[in-house]
């Protein structure tokens, strides 16, 4: 601990964790909190956002080939307050409020040394069953992490907003894959949390015009609040593809850049129709096999570019939230105490009712 | 005509044209040769290469939504000798041997003014049924074209090699879509004419290592002759994907760049498996709908980029042939007089026997 | 004229023009207004911004090798109201308020066809003595121009703000030269009108942090109002270079991107010291010969990239002003009637008193 | 040592080193050879190329702010034969011939983790006085280095050619800074060793046409042998700038890319005149302050990009030499035994007589 700091790590300190035991089996489990190693800090977690991958573990035990083989603490979108720091830590001090970066690349593999840490061969990403043993998550009221994972949250910023730095990072990484958006007409396809944040990220980075499409009016309302200029409910506006595919001036399509956030084949195909020659589709949404019209990709010389997680974008995300350049208020549907986690997960699963649902780790403790 | 030039355009000059009348119905049709307008030249065509699209018209009347609605002269890969030039032409003179660029963008549409003439809204590409009335092709012994379409062929270069400047341009455009190949490991998938020329184009542009894959040994032999370092017959070497997908050092795949020239779904999917994170797939081959593993595109952050036709690359292609930097000899299977066009088309359709088959327009006339 | 339009072009219509007769000799000259050719419109100019090049003509008869050889109408930053349109014009109608793009590339030269119209070999840019006969400018109360030069101004936007679309375009073009600003720390050097608008353009396009430097507090106040996070008066804060050159984390410099808007050698050299390895300096300011430390450019692998005029950015500039994404209010120092043009030019020449000074062409006519 | 290997490191093994004691004071010094730590190998150095920086230490004790403060072993361009390897080494084995990468970045600093190891904050580059204590060089007959520094040399390749992998890497890094050279007209300015190798590197990477300029015919002869299409002796051909500056078609200049390898102000300025709009100047040569015409950089939107050292390019350089894609024969002026090092350095300093002069470390020992 830092000298002179009032807080002392109590022997036998314990925390409450949200564990996925098996599909549809969420449990709150108590666990000992470890001692701080050099460079580490202890964070009293304030809020944690429920992500799509958390929902996949909850409903189906995973997605694709990623499946839980044993119980795992969920969660990777958290912010809280530093309670204690190891003696050598300068970056933060007790009392600081921080967003916690859940991405922990190894910093020694070939990808880390190429500046692609999101492709790290030995990534330990919170709450992920990609490797076995699984990497435990951050849905717990006390979390020990590296100081370097902590980005300070500005005064006046709510922790439930800071907790959303992680999905904003994902969206920002998507924007970085598209190159400059100066003068670009942008389509955001799928307006769940990542799509809505892609709207915000594209707006901050100068997109000339942002059109957001989804199947529900509720998500489109949020997309507008996050900065979309135009929204289209593709469930009811069945002409939309034709309209944007045959734009008067360019005749081959309208959009320069598409952020595909649904992972849905029909959404991707419809979007391809509306893209301008040389348009860039950034694929953020995960799906399985999807069928694409190869002749159109060739004929219009489209690019489909995958975007996976993030790295440097996490600090940027916190900065944008700190400075009020991204306003997270429209994103938050509500927050539930840990004891009502199941309720929170069920609400989060209903896209007509929920954008981002959070767990409030301090609710019952305080 | 240029003053003092010995040749005078005879009234009533006629030429022999190869017309696709209907699927499986090729005819040699005689047609009047028009007078030279300002800027135009008359070329005595020497050789014309048979392209995949010519074969599609021959066998099926077209491809995708592009179908012949009326008879059309085929052909867009030709080289010949200038016979006469309009008075105002400086670029070439009678006697010059030239490769003829079959791409004629409008130079006034929004894409032409953006430097993307291959996306021209009013393209008149030789021998194409994309528009109606169709654009007549260049398989004829006398061709009137713009002087600006003519690129001089160096002394000592065979016209049958110069005629292949067009497919080489297609390959070069594909290379331009990939960015710099410095230090890159390249996969070429599908070693028909475009694939074999993609090998050559990648070699000229510095690919560190080129691996070519195909289903037949015959095409792979040509690929090696065009510069491939490694060839894999994927029909017999069934481990190849696994081998390159799990490269020891990078563990997520081997190739930085793939030129997909087959248009085949299985080839594309196999290639994706072998790509390194952030790899670029340049899609040159045309197919229909293809299924791709979206999670892999996202997870490895791959880019799939369409490449369509060419523009500035035509002059470059002729230069590379002129300077011997691309040796076309391995590409040429044989040449047939116009009267044996059907035989030529049938041979060209058999990938185990033919790489590039040409028509020899001077064979029976001289 | 469009049928049914109330306005009819009177025979003998005349306009008042601001002419630079010789250095230090500004005159208001009356001139006949031509008839509308197809595609043309007549604009009643509202306001015109005085640019640095106007000031150079005024004070010194030009700059570098560009010198007035005969009297020339000045001005290229104007906005006004459409009075009449040729019969074939659809783009705008009488009564529309428009910003007028002063850049008129030829659309047929090699650069126009490469998508680089700002490099046009036959550019006719308003109020420029680069060619002889000079291209007359737009400082006149009635201006006949092509409809395609007109970008509609939204209701509620002041014409004096719309007139600044041109210098904003210059700044936006500079931003386009830098590539994506996502996560980038930006230095703006020289906070005259272009520098202040570069701050705004970088802010709209997502710069993480903008530091503006200048020699006067007055300009820095405007830079802050336009979006600078930090401002440094380099006349008084003599440590600034050292501070940013030896940033704790990167040790080789702080800034990823610099917009050099002063054209001053010392400003450029100081900025180079503060750049991070691989940093990009976009040079917007014009000067003469400047001395640069070659070893530093090599050692830190910096890029110095020129930025000249604009093209597609003009429509974007008007859009950003129309949507309130760039607030021009801090830019405007004041507006003077044409009869007080000399006073306006003198004020505009005093950087401690003036940011952007405009001519108000309607002031005395109305 | 690897088990079963015949060679055993003798106690008390000593090597001969070439030390710069003070300006103009070269000495051969005997020094003990250390034991092999894990991961290390012992290389019997065959040849070492004398580089411009070696000459600067010899003549002037350094360059710019880099000065020898104490004696230092020179040299960083070496190739040799592996004599022994530590037990854990798999990469090479005794008997292998290798080129040794003199660049040893730290792999943990911010730049290393961004994929910019050539900007490493803790670089230990052989034979460099940039840091103090200086980093000892590789001009010695026995060298202990990391196995990862060793790139195997193919059978049949001469070690004196393999020793030039390092300057070729510098040239390749320059090419990587320029982006794709497809279709590009390239100017190489200054045809000393780096310039001549830049010619070769540009040729391998597809430059359409390479023009090399220098002040001496001798270097231009080598440039042609390395692949230049056109050479210009700018000492005698005084019209060359005007000729290329006013190219008929583009009128604003000829070259798309320039590799400036002289570090000379006049060469840079002349080159800028001949560049096409949007041209890229890669600055490889080191000089002091140079004066550039800012208005031309702005007006033609040129980019001047520094290029410093290399990283991944070293393996590529060895590959290109191994495969005969770069023929080093024209580069080698001669080789001298260590005892005649002064003679070698003096010859290397005379650009009319020498391209690359090597030290032959085996000459007198064997």
């Amino acid at each position: 601990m830092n000298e002179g700091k009032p807080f002392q790590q109590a022997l036998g300190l314990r925390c409450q964790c949200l564990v996925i035991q098996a599909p549809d089996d969420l449990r709150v489990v108590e666990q000992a909190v470890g001692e701080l190693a050099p460079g580490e800090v202890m964070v009293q977690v304030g809020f944690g956002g429920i992500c799509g991958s958390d929902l996949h573990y909850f409903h189906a035990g995973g997605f694709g080939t990623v499946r839980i083989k044993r119980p795992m603490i969920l969660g990777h979108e958290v912010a809280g307050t530093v309670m204690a720091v190891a003696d050598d830590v300068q970056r933060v001090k007790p009392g600081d409020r921080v967003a916690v970066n859940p991405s922990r690349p190894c910093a020694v593999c070939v990808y880390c040394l190429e500046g692609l840490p999101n492709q790290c061969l030995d990534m330990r990403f919170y709450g992920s069953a990609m490797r076995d043993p699984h990497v435990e998550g951050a849905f717990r009221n006390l979390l020990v992490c590296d100081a370097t994972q902590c980005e300070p949250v500005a005064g006046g910023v709510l922790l439930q907003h800071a907790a959303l730095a992680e999905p904003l990072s994902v969206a920002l990484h998507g924007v970085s894959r598209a190159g400059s958006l100066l003068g670009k007409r942008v389509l955001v396809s799928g307006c769940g949390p990542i799509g809505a944040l892609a709207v915000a990220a594209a707006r901050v980075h100068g997109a000339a015009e942002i059109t957001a499409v989804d199947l529900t009016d509720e998500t489109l309302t949020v997309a507008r609040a996050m900065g979309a200029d135009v929204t289209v409910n593709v469930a009811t506006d069945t002409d939309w593809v034709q309209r944007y595919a045959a734009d008067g001036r360019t005749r081959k399509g309208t959009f320069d850049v598409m952020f595909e956030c649904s992972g849905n084949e029909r959404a991707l195909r419809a979007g391809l129709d509306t893209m301008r020659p040389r348009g860039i589709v950034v694929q953020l949404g995960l799906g399985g096999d999807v069928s694409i019209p190869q002749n159109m990709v060739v004929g219009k010389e489209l690019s489909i570019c995958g975007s996976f997680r993030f790295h440097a974008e996490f600090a940027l995300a916190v900065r944008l939230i700190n400075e009020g350049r991204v306003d997270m208020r429209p994103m938050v549907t509500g927050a539930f105490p840990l004891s009502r986690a199941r309720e929170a997960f069920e609400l989060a699963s209903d896209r007509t009712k929920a954008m981002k649902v959070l767990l409030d780790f301090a609710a019952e403790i305080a």
Side-chain angles (χ1 to χ4, degrees), chain A:
Chain A
M1 303 295 139
N2 269 356
E3 298 176 321
K5 292 297 185 315
F7 179 94
Q8 293 295 331
Q9 184 178 10
L11 283 178
L13 199 59
R14 300 184 72 77
C15 68
Q16 308 295 317
C17 310
L18 184 67
V19 168
I20 180 78
Q21 191 77 14
D24 201 41
D25 183 358
L26 278 180
R27 298 185 190 180
V28 177
V29 173
E30 191 175 283
Q31 186 178 293
V33 177
E35 287 186 32
L36 295 187
E40 288 188 340
V41 307
M42 184 185 303
V43 176
Q44 180 177 327
V45 177
F47 289 88
I50 300 171
C51 168
S53 68
D54 298 317
L55 295 174
H56 281 298
Y57 289 123
F58 172 59
H59 290 298
F63 44 93
T65 58
V66 178
R67 298 285 158 178
I68 48 168
K69 298 201 179 67
R70 61 206 84 253
M72 177 180 80
I73 304 174
L74 289 174
H76 53 271
E77 305 176 356
V78 301
T81 305
V82 175
M83 301 299 288
V85 305
D87 287 348
D88 62 337
V89 168
Q90 304 288 331
R91 184 180 172 83
V92 291
K93 62 181 188 307
D96 285 355
R97 298 184 318 138
V98 296
V100 179
N101 187 340
S103 170
R104 296 178 299 162
C106 72
V108 299
C109 77
V110 58
Y111 297 109
C112 284
L113 286 172
E114 283 180 11
L116 297 175
N118 64 326
Q119 294 289 344
C120 173
L121 292 170
D122 194 26
M123 173 65 81
R124 295 165 300 137
F125 198 96
Y126 279 158
S128 165
M130 275 201 188
R131 39 194 297 168
D132 190 31
H134 306 332
V135 182
E136 300 294 346
F139 281 170
R140 41 180 136 189
N141 62 326
L142 288 177
L143 172 70
V144 172
C145 65
D146 288 339
T148 55
Q149 293 176 256
C150 297
E151 291 292 332
V153 173
V157 172
L158 297 178
L159 283 183
Q160 56 262 56
H161 294 161
L164 304 189
E166 198 272 348
L168 178 57
S169 305
V170 172
L172 289 167
H173 188 66
V175 169
S176 80
R177 293 284 286 148
S180 171
L181 295 182
L182 186 146
K184 298 290 169 61
R185 298 180 76 174
V186 170
L187 174 67
V188 175
S189 164
C191 295
I194 296 298
L197 291 170
V199 168
R203 178 51 79 213
V204 166
H205 291 92
E209 185 178 296
I210 302 173
T211 301
V213 301
D214 200 305
L215 292 159
T216 72
D217 287 337
E218 292 79 0
T219 51
L220 292 172
T221 300
V222 177
R224 269 194 303 277
M226 298 306 287
D229 298 292
V230 179
T231 55
V232 178
N233 186 323
V234 301
T236 56
D237 180 350
T238 52
D239 286 342
W240 83 278
V241 172
Q242 195 177 338
R243 214 159 61 231
Y244 287 99
D247 174 85
R249 177 164 162 279
T250 65
R251 283 173 39 195
K252 295 188 180 186
T254 296
F255 299 109
D256 300 290
V257 175
M258 175 187 188
F259 297 104
E260 209 303 292
C261 303
S262 75
N264 180 277
E265 177 181 293
R266 286 181 56 198
L268 173 58
R269 292 183 67 105
L272 292 174
D273 281 337
T274 66
M275 297 296 290
R276 205 174 183 286
R278 293 281 174 112
I280 297 172
V281 177
V282 177
Q283 182 69 42
L284 286 150
L286 287 164
D289 287 355
V290 293
S291 163
I292 59 171
Q294 196 174 50
N295 288 348
M296 182 182 290
V297 170
V298 170
K300 294 204 286 188
E301 299 188 298
L302 302 176
S303 294
I304 302 175
C305 304
S307 179
F308 185 61
R309 291 179 176 163
F310 56 86
H311 181 64
E313 294 87 357
F314 190 79
L316 176 61
V318 177
R319 178 197 278 262
L320 294 175
I321 297 168
N322 280 347
E323 298 178 356
R325 292 165 66 190
V326 172
D327 177 0
M328 285 296 185
R329 285 174 299 175
M331 293 296 298
V332 176
T333 302
F336 290 73
L338 195 51
S339 60
R340 292 168 62 194
R342 167 173 281 273
E343 194 177 337
F345 273 63
E346 283 167 355
L347 175 59
S349 304
D350 182 347
R351 287 199 54 208
T352 65
K353 292 188 186 150
M355 181 56 69
K356 187 54 93 175
V357 177
L358 296 110
L359 296 175
D360 178 350
F361 290 93
E364 286 157 358
I365 293 165

